[in-house]
Amino acid sequence: MIIKKNLLSEGKTKKIYATNNPLEILIHHKDNITALNGLKKNVLQDKGVLNNEITTLIFQFLNSCGVKTHFIRKINNREQLCYKVDMIPLEFVVRNIVAGSMSKRLGVKEGTYLYNPIFEIFYKNDKLKDPLINDHHAVFLKIISYEELNTIYDMTSKINCFIKKYFSDKNIILVDFKIEFGKNHKKEILLSDEISPDTCRLWDKETMKKMDKDSFRIGLQEKIFDIYMEVLKRLNVS
Ligand code: UDP
């Protein structure tokens, strides 16, 4: 039996609890939604329930594809059991279509198709506002080794292929997404954190309508629940 123990940490959208097994943790999804490095925030009833369900489906799918992830199983409508990892303080962004910060930074029109996916690394550091860095900066900062980066790029490229097709089969275009990795007690690298409409840009294949957190960024907070529910409904159709 799993016994929920002390709170280990609390972030903007999730709480992490210890369990009676030192190798496992409980992740609790809150209803908070934030954007623009926390400048824009709100609480949307049951958003955490939808995100827990969506990220569960995606991690179950990735586990079934042979990707090493932290996900063990969903426990209840807000919580999942995961392997405990030491998080690597980097955000790995994969872009299949230009949008968001890349569009602004490079002056390239949103919606421009990228024939080869582009990988970016952001350094998770609130004081520095999560700057875009490259491999050499990450190694210089002693966050990661080149060998570990190679492993992560290899995993990231496979994850992109798997979930691009997974969403495409549900009539959703995977524009870009952010993932994070951690190391377990054996120092193995596992895909961790979450994959949800909070961390991906998802566009409807037919209408190009935004089905993700961009709707919140542009002020449609009252529509978020319905939009995330539509994503969940499509993922549940086999
Ligand atoms: N992203 C995220 N968390 C962050 C920053 C970005 O999940 O703290 C996701 C975002 O939802 C998008 C992708 O990473 O799917 C690329 O985001 P981008 O760099 O364009 O920045 P944004 O426009 O989100 O500021």
Side-chain angles (χ1 to χ4, degrees):
M1 202 183 71
I2 304 150
I3 302 169
K4 185 169 164 180
K5 292 200 151 182
N6 53 304
L7 180 70
L8 293 174
S9 64
E10 178 162 3
K12 293 175 193 131
T13 60
K14 293 187 284 289
K15 287 184 196 173
I16 314 289
Y17 292 92
T19 69
N20 49 325
N21 182 338
L23 299 181
E24 296 173 358
I25 52 155
L26 266 188
I27 300 186
H28 175 105
H29 288 262
K30 305 195 288 183
D31 283 341
N32 303 63
I33 185 162
T34 67
L36 311 168
N37 270 327
L39 283 179
K40 193 173 162 81
K41 48 187 163 198
N42 211 332
V43 178
L44 302 171
Q45 203 187 344
D46 288 343
K47 194 217 68 158
V49 174
L50 293 180
N51 267 10
N52 186 34
E53 188 63 36
I54 294 171
T55 192
T56 290
L57 289 172
I58 297 172
F59 271 76
Q60 276 172 341
F61 168 70
L62 287 171
N63 278 347
S64 77
C65 293
V67 176
K68 286 186 179 167
T69 84
H70 73 157
F71 180 84
I72 303 172
R73 67 178 181 277
K74 189 176 139 190
I75 299 293
N76 58 44
N77 68 351
R78 283 191 184 270
E79 291 174 327
Q80 43 184 253
L81 186 68
C82 294
Y83 293 115
K84 189 175 195 310
V85 294
D86 285 328
M87 290 303 289
I88 298 168
L90 297 173
E91 294 185 335
F92 292 84
V93 167
V94 182
R95 300 181 185 276
N96 296 307
I97 292 178
V98 177
S101 70
M102 179 176 169
S103 167
K104 289 194 200 98
R105 194 181 323 113
L106 302 184
V108 181
K109 198 166 169 271
E110 179 155 304
T112 305
Y113 186 79
L114 296 163
Y115 287 91
N116 293 308
I118 289 184
F119 296 157
E120 293 174 351
I121 312 179
F122 292 84
Y123 176 28
K124 283 189 75 158
N125 183 314
D126 284 341
K127 261 195 210 150
L128 299 177
K129 298 194 179 138
D130 299 351
L132 173 67
I133 60 169
N134 67 25
D135 297 23
H136 310 294
H137 296 134
V139 173
F140 163 73
L141 290 169
K142 297 194 168 44
I143 296 171
I144 200 161
S145 67
Y146 285 110
E147 201 188 342
E148 287 168 338
L149 276 170
N150 278 342
T151 304
I152 287 181
Y153 282 137
D154 187 47
M155 288 173 79
T156 301
S157 160
K158 287 182 181 137
I159 291 164
N160 185 38
C161 290
F162 290 136
I163 59 172
K164 201 161 70 170
K165 164 98 175 48
Y166 179 74
F167 280 114
S168 176
D169 289 347
K170 320 282 180 187
N171 269 318
I172 296 173
I173 301 171
L174 178 63
V175 173
D176 60 30
F177 61 98
K178 181 270 301 177
I179 44 179
E180 297 183 28
F181 294 85
K183 284 192 244 176
N184 67 9
H185 67 292
K186 292 189 231 156
K187 302 286 173 225
E188 278 173 321
I189 292 178
L190 306 184
L191 175 68
S192 305
D193 195 50
E194 68 174 288
I195 301 181
S196 73
D198 275 1
T199 63
C200 302
R201 280 197 174 86
L202 304 169
W203 294 352
D204 179 86
K205 228 194 234 181
E206 310 291 322
T207 63
M208 304 302 264
K209 190 185 83 172
K210 293 182 198 303
M211 304 179 73
D212 55 53
K213 200 167 81 172
D214 266 349
S215 316
F216 174 69
R217 290 187 183 93
I218 61 175
L220 298 175
Q221 47 265 27
E222 72 286 356
K223 298 240 167 78
I224 289 288
F225 184 88
D226 292 346
I227 291 169
Y228 284 29
M229 181 59 101
E230 171 67 21
V231 172
L232 178 57
K233 270 194 207 146
R234 291 204 201 177
L235 297 191
N236 268 324
V237 174
S238 45

Short mmCIF file of all heavy atoms in Angstrom, two decimals, residues 4-19 25-32 46-49 51-53 55 70 73-82 193-194:
data_model
loop_
_atom_site.label_atom_id
_atom_site.label_comp_id
_atom_site.label_asym_id
_atom_site.label_seq_id
_atom_site.Cartn_x
_atom_site.Cartn_y
_atom_site.Cartn_z
N LYS A 4 1.01 8.25 1.66
CA LYS A 4 1.47 9.60 1.33
C LYS A 4 2.11 10.21 2.56
O LYS A 4 1.52 10.21 3.63
CB LYS A 4 0.24 10.41 0.89
CG LYS A 4 0.53 11.79 0.40
CD LYS A 4 -0.75 12.30 -0.24
CE LYS A 4 -0.79 13.76 -0.45
NZ LYS A 4 -2.05 14.18 -1.08
N LYS A 5 3.34 10.71 2.40
CA LYS A 5 4.04 11.28 3.57
C LYS A 5 4.22 12.78 3.40
O LYS A 5 3.37 13.44 2.83
CB LYS A 5 5.34 10.52 3.79
CG LYS A 5 5.08 9.08 4.22
CD LYS A 5 6.29 8.51 4.88
CE LYS A 5 5.93 7.46 5.89
NZ LYS A 5 7.12 6.94 6.54
N ASN A 6 5.36 13.31 3.86
CA ASN A 6 5.55 14.77 3.90
C ASN A 6 5.69 15.42 2.52
O ASN A 6 6.13 14.79 1.56
CB ASN A 6 6.79 15.10 4.74
CG ASN A 6 8.01 14.34 4.28
OD1 ASN A 6 7.97 13.11 4.21
ND2 ASN A 6 9.05 15.04 3.91
N LEU A 7 5.31 16.70 2.49
CA LEU A 7 5.47 17.49 1.26
C LEU A 7 6.96 17.74 1.04
O LEU A 7 7.64 18.25 1.91
CB LEU A 7 4.73 18.83 1.43
CG LEU A 7 4.77 19.80 0.27
CD1 LEU A 7 3.93 19.29 -0.90
CD2 LEU A 7 4.25 21.18 0.70
N LEU A 8 7.46 17.35 -0.15
CA LEU A 8 8.89 17.55 -0.43
C LEU A 8 9.13 18.89 -1.10
O LEU A 8 10.11 19.57 -0.84
CB LEU A 8 9.41 16.43 -1.35
CG LEU A 8 9.45 15.03 -0.77
CD1 LEU A 8 9.83 14.01 -1.84
CD2 LEU A 8 10.43 14.97 0.40
N SER A 9 8.22 19.28 -2.02
CA SER A 9 8.38 20.58 -2.68
C SER A 9 7.05 20.98 -3.31
O SER A 9 6.17 20.13 -3.54
CB SER A 9 9.46 20.50 -3.75
OG SER A 9 9.08 19.62 -4.77
N GLU A 10 6.92 22.27 -3.54
CA GLU A 10 5.71 22.76 -4.19
C GLU A 10 6.11 23.75 -5.28
O GLU A 10 6.83 24.73 -5.01
CB GLU A 10 4.79 23.43 -3.16
CG GLU A 10 3.55 23.99 -3.81
CD GLU A 10 2.40 24.29 -2.84
OE1 GLU A 10 2.57 24.11 -1.62
OE2 GLU A 10 1.34 24.70 -3.35
N GLY A 11 5.65 23.48 -6.50
CA GLY A 11 5.93 24.39 -7.61
C GLY A 11 4.67 25.15 -7.98
O GLY A 11 3.70 25.18 -7.21
N LYS A 12 4.70 25.79 -9.19
CA LYS A 12 3.55 26.61 -9.59
C LYS A 12 2.30 25.76 -9.82
O LYS A 12 1.20 26.20 -9.51
CB LYS A 12 3.89 27.38 -10.88
CG LYS A 12 4.99 28.42 -10.67
CD LYS A 12 5.39 29.08 -11.99
CE LYS A 12 6.68 29.87 -11.84
NZ LYS A 12 7.66 29.57 -12.88
N THR A 13 2.47 24.55 -10.34
CA THR A 13 1.28 23.76 -10.71
C THR A 13 1.23 22.37 -10.06
O THR A 13 0.28 21.64 -10.27
CB THR A 13 1.20 23.57 -12.24
OG1 THR A 13 2.39 22.89 -12.66
CG2 THR A 13 1.08 24.90 -12.97
N LYS A 14 2.30 22.01 -9.32
CA LYS A 14 2.33 20.65 -8.75
C LYS A 14 2.92 20.65 -7.34
O LYS A 14 3.71 21.52 -7.00
CB LYS A 14 3.19 19.73 -9.64
CG LYS A 14 2.58 19.48 -11.01
CD LYS A 14 3.36 18.46 -11.80
CE LYS A 14 4.63 18.95 -12.40
NZ LYS A 14 4.52 19.87 -13.51
N LYS A 15 2.49 19.64 -6.55
CA LYS A 15 3.12 19.41 -5.24
C LYS A 15 3.73 18.02 -5.29
O LYS A 15 3.12 17.10 -5.85
CB LYS A 15 2.06 19.42 -4.14
CG LYS A 15 1.49 20.78 -3.81
CD LYS A 15 0.54 20.59 -2.64
CE LYS A 15 -0.35 21.77 -2.47
NZ LYS A 15 -1.37 21.55 -1.46
N ILE A 16 4.88 17.86 -4.64
CA ILE A 16 5.54 16.56 -4.62
C ILE A 16 5.60 16.05 -3.18
O ILE A 16 6.06 16.76 -2.29
CB ILE A 16 7.01 16.66 -5.15
CG1 ILE A 16 7.10 17.50 -6.44
CG2 ILE A 16 7.64 15.29 -5.32
CD1 ILE A 16 6.54 16.88 -7.66
N TYR A 17 5.10 14.84 -2.99
CA TYR A 17 5.09 14.23 -1.65
C TYR A 17 5.99 13.00 -1.61
O TYR A 17 6.07 12.25 -2.60
CB TYR A 17 3.67 13.78 -1.28
CG TYR A 17 2.70 14.91 -1.07
CD1 TYR A 17 1.93 15.38 -2.13
CD2 TYR A 17 2.55 15.51 0.18
CE1 TYR A 17 1.03 16.43 -1.95
CE2 TYR A 17 1.66 16.56 0.37
CZ TYR A 17 0.91 17.01 -0.69
OH TYR A 17 0.04 18.05 -0.51
N ALA A 18 6.61 12.79 -0.44
CA ALA A 18 7.34 11.53 -0.20
C ALA A 18 6.30 10.42 0.00
O ALA A 18 5.12 10.71 0.27
CB ALA A 18 8.20 11.68 1.04
N THR A 19 6.73 9.19 -0.15
CA THR A 19 5.85 8.04 0.14
C THR A 19 6.60 7.11 1.10
O THR A 19 7.77 7.36 1.43
CB THR A 19 5.48 7.24 -1.13
OG1 THR A 19 6.67 6.59 -1.60
CG2 THR A 19 4.90 8.13 -2.21
N ILE A 25 7.71 8.74 -5.37
CA ILE A 25 7.08 9.97 -4.89
C ILE A 25 5.65 10.04 -5.44
O ILE A 25 5.30 9.32 -6.38
CB ILE A 25 7.83 11.23 -5.39
CG1 ILE A 25 8.03 11.17 -6.92
CG2 ILE A 25 9.14 11.44 -4.67
CD1 ILE A 25 8.19 12.49 -7.58
N LEU A 26 4.86 10.94 -4.84
CA LEU A 26 3.51 11.22 -5.36
C LEU A 26 3.51 12.61 -5.95
O LEU A 26 3.97 13.56 -5.31
CB LEU A 26 2.50 11.19 -4.23
CG LEU A 26 1.75 9.92 -3.92
CD1 LEU A 26 0.67 10.20 -2.89
CD2 LEU A 26 1.11 9.33 -5.16
N ILE A 27 3.01 12.76 -7.17
CA ILE A 27 2.88 14.10 -7.77
C ILE A 27 1.41 14.47 -7.75
O ILE A 27 0.56 13.72 -8.25
CB ILE A 27 3.42 14.12 -9.21
CG1 ILE A 27 4.90 13.74 -9.20
CG2 ILE A 27 3.21 15.50 -9.85
CD1 ILE A 27 5.59 13.85 -10.53
N HIS A 28 1.12 15.63 -7.17
CA HIS A 28 -0.26 16.13 -7.05
C HIS A 28 -0.42 17.32 -8.00
O HIS A 28 0.33 18.29 -7.91
CB HIS A 28 -0.50 16.54 -5.59
CG HIS A 28 -1.84 17.18 -5.37
ND1 HIS A 28 -2.88 16.52 -4.76
CD2 HIS A 28 -2.30 18.41 -5.70
CE1 HIS A 28 -3.93 17.33 -4.72
NE2 HIS A 28 -3.60 18.49 -5.28
N HIS A 29 -1.40 17.25 -8.89
CA HIS A 29 -1.64 18.34 -9.85
C HIS A 29 -2.62 19.36 -9.27
O HIS A 29 -3.74 19.01 -8.93
CB HIS A 29 -2.18 17.78 -11.17
CG HIS A 29 -1.14 17.05 -11.94
ND1 HIS A 29 -0.44 17.61 -12.98
CD2 HIS A 29 -0.65 15.80 -11.80
CE1 HIS A 29 0.43 16.74 -13.45
NE2 HIS A 29 0.32 15.62 -12.76
N LYS A 30 -2.17 20.60 -9.17
CA LYS A 30 -3.01 21.68 -8.64
C LYS A 30 -3.83 22.31 -9.78
O LYS A 30 -3.59 22.01 -10.95
CB LYS A 30 -2.12 22.77 -8.01
CG LYS A 30 -1.16 22.25 -6.95
CD LYS A 30 -0.57 23.37 -6.11
CE LYS A 30 0.44 24.22 -6.84
NZ LYS A 30 1.06 25.26 -6.00
N ASP A 31 -4.73 23.21 -9.40
CA ASP A 31 -5.57 23.87 -10.42
C ASP A 31 -4.97 25.19 -10.91
O ASP A 31 -5.60 25.91 -11.68
CB ASP A 31 -6.97 24.15 -9.85
CG ASP A 31 -7.81 22.88 -9.81
OD1 ASP A 31 -7.47 21.92 -10.53
OD2 ASP A 31 -8.81 22.86 -9.08
N ASN A 32 -3.75 25.49 -10.45
CA ASN A 32 -3.15 26.78 -10.85
C ASN A 32 -2.67 26.74 -12.29
O ASN A 32 -2.24 25.71 -12.79
CB ASN A 32 -1.94 27.08 -9.96
CG ASN A 32 -2.33 27.09 -8.50
OD1 ASN A 32 -2.75 26.07 -7.97
ND2 ASN A 32 -2.21 28.24 -7.87
N ASP A 46 -10.52 22.35 -11.50
CA ASP A 46 -10.33 21.03 -12.09
C ASP A 46 -9.35 20.97 -13.26
O ASP A 46 -9.25 19.95 -13.94
CB ASP A 46 -11.68 20.41 -12.49
CG ASP A 46 -12.46 19.99 -11.26
OD1 ASP A 46 -11.83 19.87 -10.18
OD2 ASP A 46 -13.67 19.79 -11.35
N LYS A 47 -8.60 22.04 -13.49
CA LYS A 47 -7.56 21.97 -14.52
C LYS A 47 -6.54 20.89 -14.15
O LYS A 47 -6.04 20.15 -15.00
CB LYS A 47 -6.86 23.32 -14.68
CG LYS A 47 -6.02 23.40 -15.93
CD LYS A 47 -4.74 24.19 -15.73
CE LYS A 47 -3.78 23.51 -14.81
NZ LYS A 47 -2.39 23.90 -14.92
N GLY A 48 -6.26 20.76 -12.83
CA GLY A 48 -5.30 19.76 -12.36
C GLY A 48 -5.77 18.33 -12.64
O GLY A 48 -4.97 17.45 -12.90
N VAL A 49 -7.08 18.14 -12.59
CA VAL A 49 -7.65 16.81 -12.85
C VAL A 49 -7.43 16.45 -14.33
O VAL A 49 -7.01 15.35 -14.67
CB VAL A 49 -9.16 16.79 -12.50
CG1 VAL A 49 -9.80 15.48 -12.90
CG2 VAL A 49 -9.36 17.06 -11.02
N ASN A 51 -5.17 17.80 -16.40
CA ASN A 51 -3.74 17.63 -16.70
C ASN A 51 -3.21 16.30 -16.19
O ASN A 51 -2.39 15.65 -16.85
CB ASN A 51 -2.93 18.78 -16.11
CG ASN A 51 -2.74 19.89 -17.12
OD1 ASN A 51 -3.36 19.87 -18.18
ND2 ASN A 51 -1.90 20.83 -16.80
N ASN A 52 -3.69 15.87 -15.01
CA ASN A 52 -3.25 14.58 -14.47
C ASN A 52 -3.65 13.46 -15.43
O ASN A 52 -2.86 12.56 -15.72
CB ASN A 52 -3.87 14.36 -13.09
CG ASN A 52 -3.35 13.11 -12.40
OD1 ASN A 52 -2.18 12.76 -12.55
ND2 ASN A 52 -4.20 12.45 -11.65
N GLU A 53 -4.85 13.55 -15.97
CA GLU A 53 -5.35 12.52 -16.88
C GLU A 53 -4.58 12.55 -18.21
O GLU A 53 -4.17 11.51 -18.73
CB GLU A 53 -6.85 12.78 -17.12
CG GLU A 53 -7.58 11.72 -17.89
CD GLU A 53 -7.61 10.37 -17.18
OE1 GLU A 53 -7.72 10.35 -15.95
OE2 GLU A 53 -7.52 9.34 -17.90
N THR A 55 -1.53 13.90 -18.93
CA THR A 55 -0.11 13.53 -18.82
C THR A 55 0.02 12.03 -18.54
O THR A 55 0.94 11.37 -19.03
CB THR A 55 0.63 14.43 -17.80
OG1 THR A 55 2.02 14.23 -17.93
CG2 THR A 55 0.21 14.20 -16.38
N HIS A 70 9.70 8.50 -15.57
CA HIS A 70 9.52 8.39 -14.11
C HIS A 70 8.13 7.84 -13.75
O HIS A 70 7.89 7.48 -12.60
CB HIS A 70 9.72 9.76 -13.45
CG HIS A 70 8.60 10.73 -13.68
ND1 HIS A 70 8.34 11.79 -12.85
CD2 HIS A 70 7.66 10.79 -14.67
CE1 HIS A 70 7.29 12.46 -13.30
NE2 HIS A 70 6.86 11.89 -14.39
N ARG A 73 2.22 4.90 -12.14
CA ARG A 73 0.78 4.79 -12.40
C ARG A 73 0.02 5.94 -11.77
O ARG A 73 0.50 6.59 -10.85
CB ARG A 73 0.21 3.44 -11.95
CG ARG A 73 0.22 3.22 -10.47
CD ARG A 73 -0.42 1.88 -10.12
NE ARG A 73 -0.43 1.69 -8.70
CZ ARG A 73 0.58 1.24 -8.00
NH1 ARG A 73 1.70 0.91 -8.61
NH2 ARG A 73 0.50 1.10 -6.68
N LYS A 74 -1.20 6.14 -12.29
CA LYS A 74 -2.10 7.14 -11.73
C LYS A 74 -2.72 6.55 -10.46
O LYS A 74 -3.11 5.37 -10.46
CB LYS A 74 -3.18 7.45 -12.77
CG LYS A 74 -4.05 8.61 -12.42
CD LYS A 74 -5.00 8.91 -13.55
CE LYS A 74 -6.36 9.22 -12.96
NZ LYS A 74 -7.42 9.30 -13.93
N ILE A 75 -2.80 7.35 -9.40
CA ILE A 75 -3.32 6.87 -8.11
C ILE A 75 -4.77 7.31 -7.92
O ILE A 75 -5.61 6.57 -7.44
CB ILE A 75 -2.47 7.46 -6.95
CG1 ILE A 75 -1.03 7.01 -7.08
CG2 ILE A 75 -3.05 7.14 -5.58
CD1 ILE A 75 -0.86 5.52 -6.88
N ASN A 76 -5.05 8.56 -8.25
CA ASN A 76 -6.42 9.09 -8.15
C ASN A 76 -6.53 10.25 -9.12
O ASN A 76 -5.61 10.47 -9.91
CB ASN A 76 -6.76 9.50 -6.70
CG ASN A 76 -5.79 10.54 -6.17
OD1 ASN A 76 -5.46 11.49 -6.87
ND2 ASN A 76 -5.33 10.36 -4.96
N ASN A 77 -7.64 10.99 -9.09
CA ASN A 77 -7.85 11.95 -10.17
C ASN A 77 -6.87 13.13 -10.18
O ASN A 77 -6.76 13.83 -11.18
CB ASN A 77 -9.32 12.41 -10.25
CG ASN A 77 -9.71 13.26 -9.06
OD1 ASN A 77 -8.95 13.36 -8.10
ND2 ASN A 77 -10.88 13.86 -9.13
N ARG A 78 -6.13 13.32 -9.10
CA ARG A 78 -5.14 14.40 -9.08
C ARG A 78 -3.70 13.94 -8.91
O ARG A 78 -2.78 14.74 -8.98
CB ARG A 78 -5.44 15.37 -7.93
CG ARG A 78 -6.57 16.28 -8.23
CD ARG A 78 -6.66 17.37 -7.21
NE ARG A 78 -7.84 18.15 -7.52
CZ ARG A 78 -7.84 19.19 -8.31
NH1 ARG A 78 -6.71 19.62 -8.86
NH2 ARG A 78 -8.95 19.83 -8.59
N GLU A 79 -3.51 12.64 -8.61
CA GLU A 79 -2.16 12.21 -8.20
C GLU A 79 -1.65 11.02 -8.99
O GLU A 79 -2.42 10.15 -9.38
CB GLU A 79 -2.18 11.87 -6.70
CG GLU A 79 -2.37 13.12 -5.87
CD GLU A 79 -2.53 12.86 -4.38
OE1 GLU A 79 -3.10 11.82 -4.01
OE2 GLU A 79 -2.11 13.73 -3.60
N GLN A 80 -0.33 11.02 -9.19
CA GLN A 80 0.30 9.87 -9.82
C GLN A 80 1.55 9.47 -9.03
O GLN A 80 2.18 10.30 -8.38
CB GLN A 80 0.64 10.17 -11.27
CG GLN A 80 1.23 11.52 -11.54
CD GLN A 80 1.46 11.75 -13.01
OE1 GLN A 80 2.60 11.74 -13.45
NE2 GLN A 80 0.40 11.95 -13.79
N LEU A 81 1.83 8.17 -9.10
CA LEU A 81 3.01 7.62 -8.44
C LEU A 81 4.15 7.60 -9.45
O LEU A 81 3.97 7.12 -10.59
CB LEU A 81 2.70 6.19 -7.97
CG LEU A 81 3.78 5.50 -7.13
CD1 LEU A 81 3.91 6.17 -5.76
CD2 LEU A 81 3.44 4.02 -6.95
N CYS A 82 5.31 8.13 -9.05
CA CYS A 82 6.44 8.21 -9.98
C CYS A 82 7.72 7.81 -9.26
O CYS A 82 7.79 7.89 -8.03
CB CYS A 82 6.60 9.65 -10.48
SG CYS A 82 5.22 10.19 -11.49
N ASP A 193 8.66 15.07 -14.91
CA ASP A 193 7.72 16.20 -14.97
C ASP A 193 6.42 15.79 -15.67
O ASP A 193 5.88 14.74 -15.36
CB ASP A 193 8.41 17.39 -15.64
CG ASP A 193 7.67 18.69 -15.44
OD1 ASP A 193 7.33 19.02 -14.29
OD2 ASP A 193 7.40 19.39 -16.43
N GLU A 194 5.92 16.58 -16.60
CA GLU A 194 4.62 16.31 -17.23
C GLU A 194 4.67 16.67 -18.72
O GLU A 194 5.55 17.42 -19.16
CB GLU A 194 3.52 17.14 -16.57
CG GLU A 194 3.66 18.64 -16.84
CD GLU A 194 2.48 19.46 -16.30
OE1 GLU A 194 1.38 19.40 -16.86
OE2 GLU A 194 2.69 20.19 -15.32
#
